[in-house]
Amino acid sequence: LDQYWLNYNLGGERVGFKGLAYLNRADKTAYQDSAADNYASPFREEQFDGTYTWGADAQLTLSAWKPARLTFGASYKEARFDYDEDYAASSRDAGAEGRQRFVSPFANFDVRLLQERLIVNMGARYDWIETSDGANWDTAASAGRPAYDNRFGSETDGSFSPKLGIAWHPDAKTTLRASGGKGFRAPSLFELYKVHVRGGGTYYREANPDLSPEEIWSYDVGAERFLGTKVWAKVTIYQSFAKDYIGDRLIGTAPISGGRTRYDYILDNISEVDIYGIEAEMQWYPVDAVTLFANYTYNISKVDKDDNNAALEGNYLPNDPRHNLHVGVRYHNPRIVDASLIANYYADIYYDNENTLKKSDYWTVDVALARRFLDRFTIYLNVENIFDEEYPIFLSPSSGDTIAPGVIVAGGLKIDI
């Protein structure tokens, strides 16, 4: 994955400007194997060499009236999906492609009153999305499915998303907050066009070019406070109502070769989803440069209504842990090193809408190191899952399970120009 970006900031007492241009390009090859040969030899290569996202953001901030600040601007983003499958033992050709454009004007008004003890933030954003050039194909029959070659027309969607937030400081150590707003997510090109096959054909997920965007209204209230000078604590209660949530839908099963069963899914919209919970966080600063922290989330995400399958109503959403805990320590000393050690705990996770596949719990531990030098260079090293914990990313009633890749090491050098 190549990432490039360019920032420009111009600050002034009354007028400010920020600009950003970026390019993210994927150049990835994944090797898949046939379940019949026990992963002894490559079966196909999955290539994403033409997949990229680029865009630009620009915003202008006006502060003519000192207690208030008005910001407005627009974002443009274009995404290209180009997926191709190459088979080692045949001339079979399969793949998918598509393009999306996003245009999103926005505005935000922030006002601070009563000697900045009361802060009110209001904003709005409009998202316009055009999806075009969609296609998927496979020149050979597979797992009991016929060959196909599909081309899809252009579609446009749009959504207006307002938000409102209020913060009140009754004293220097306490903050009370409340906010609400609407969110919007267009289906990705992967979700619209990619036919997903795993487990030697036992897991088969159709693409769905007719997916509708997800829309969600969210509300939260919370409080945070310094307890003395060494301890800070925060608690938040939240509630969300989602419409047209995008998820896997089991549409049938069929026998295939070798006495196996193919499980057929399609990405589809679930009518209404209810999400609520509580978050608690605490930080302790025992000595300079050291922070001990912990945060815990208890989350309930359930299907409230499904017009296509009432049997799903009341079920938990997949891949959304009910219990989520993070505990760790940070050390911040620019003259020596910035370091963190974090233990992560996840529990009560379902992996299907039918709630038949579940993982009770698992732990992972992450380490991060960074050192800045010569005022503009930062070298860093991040290691995820340092104890190589084996846990599922995706489970299927077939043999098409996906297990986490184990230890992940990433390092690099950042240069501030």
Side-chain angles (χ1 to χ4, degrees), residues 38 62 130 158 213 219 281-282 289 337 375:
N38 197 26
L62 305 177
E130 180 188 54
Y219 313 88
E281 182 177 358
M282 182 171 287
V337 70
D375 292 329

Side-chain angles (χ1 to χ4, degrees), residues 66 118 123 128 142 168 170 256 269 277 293 328 365 403:
K66 188 175 180 180
L118 176 64
W128 177 87
S142 173
W168 169 247
I256 56 175
N269 293 110
F293 63 90
V365 178
I403 305 302

Side-chain angles (χ1 to χ4, degrees), residues 6 57 87 127 142 198 232 244 267 300 336 360 386 388 393 398 400:
L6 178 65
D57 300 342
Y87 288 79
D127 291 284
S142 173
R198 287 294 183 268
W232 171 87
D244 290 330
L267 278 167
I300 298 294
I336 302 176
S360 57
I386 61 174
D388 198 23
I393 297 175
S398 71

Side-chain angles (χ1 to χ4, degrees), residues 8 40 47 61 101 103 128 137 196 222 256 294 329 362 390 399:
Y8 177 76
Q47 298 179 345
T61 300
R101 291 192 299 156
V103 179
W128 177 87
W137 63 91
H196 207 52
I256 56 175
V329 57
Y362 65 88
E390 184 176 294
S399 59

Side-chain angles (χ1 to χ4, degrees), residues 35-296:
D37 68 4
N38 197 26
Y39 304 101
S41 61
F43 178 59
R44 71 172 183 262
E45 295 181 7
E46 299 180 345
Q47 298 179 345
F48 295 83
D49 56 355
T51 299
Y52 63 83
T53 302
W54 72 272
D57 300 342
Q59 67 178 51
L60 186 68
T61 300
L62 305 177
S63 306
W65 179 37
K66 188 175 180 180
R69 183 172 57 189
L70 174 64
T71 301
F72 58 92
S75 300
Y76 176 84
K77 182 173 75 172
E78 182 169 320
R80 172 71 183 179
F81 179 66
D82 191 349
Y83 168 81
D84 185 63
E85 293 182 358
D86 290 330
Y87 288 79
S90 72
S91 59
R92 177 180 174 184
D93 180 38
E97 62 185 15
R99 186 188 303 269
Q100 278 181 324
R101 291 192 299 156
F102 300 75
V103 179
S104 305
F106 59 87
N108 191 83
F109 181 70
D110 185 273
V111 59
R112 299 167 182 261
L113 305 171
L114 303 177
Q115 298 179 331
E116 298 198 356
R117 295 176 65 186
L118 176 64
I119 302 173
V120 180
N121 182 273
M122 296 176 286
R125 177 187 180 99
Y126 183 80
D127 291 284
W128 177 87
I129 301 98
E130 180 188 54
T131 304
S132 61
D133 302 328
N136 54 38
W137 63 91
D138 192 339
T139 59
S142 173
R145 290 285 188 134
Y148 57 89
D149 186 359
N150 301 314
R151 308 290 158 171
F152 306 102
S154 297
E155 298 285 344
T156 59
D157 286 296
S159 180
F160 177 73
S161 301
K163 66 175 183 178
L164 172 64
I166 299 174
W168 169 247
H169 302 280
D171 57 55
K173 293 185 176 182
T174 307
T175 303
L176 305 177
R177 302 180 186 274
S179 65
K182 180 188 172 189
F184 171 85
R185 186 182 82 84
S188 69
L189 294 168
F190 184 95
E191 293 168 329
L192 291 168
Y193 304 127
K194 170 71 167 63
V195 175
H196 207 52
V197 184
R198 287 294 183 268
T202 59
Y203 173 87
Y204 192 102
R205 190 187 71 190
E206 298 272 10
N208 187 353
D210 298 321
L211 284 172
S212 298
E214 295 178 350
E215 293 187 351
I216 183 169
W217 284 95
S218 299
Y219 313 88
D220 63 76
V221 293
E224 59 184 83
R225 180 174 174 81
F226 274 93
L227 308 174
T229 60
K230 296 290 187 178
V231 177
W232 171 87
K234 179 181 179 181
V235 62
T236 303
I237 299 172
Y238 61 87
Q239 171 82 61
S240 298
F241 304 96
K243 177 183 176 183
D244 290 330
Y245 169 85
I246 297 173
D248 275 2
R249 185 184 298 282
L250 180 63
I251 56 176
T253 61
I256 56 175
S257 61
R260 298 175 299 157
T261 299
R262 186 189 70 225
Y263 290 80
D264 293 335
Y265 293 83
I266 188 170
L267 278 167
D268 200 6
N269 293 110
I270 297 174
S271 304
E272 297 177 13
V273 166
D274 191 10
I275 303 168
Y276 58 92
I278 184 169
E279 298 176 349
E281 182 177 358
M282 182 171 287
Q283 296 183 7
W284 176 36
Y285 316 102
V287 295
D288 290 344
V290 175
T291 301
L292 300 174
F293 63 90
N295 59 73
Y296 167 74

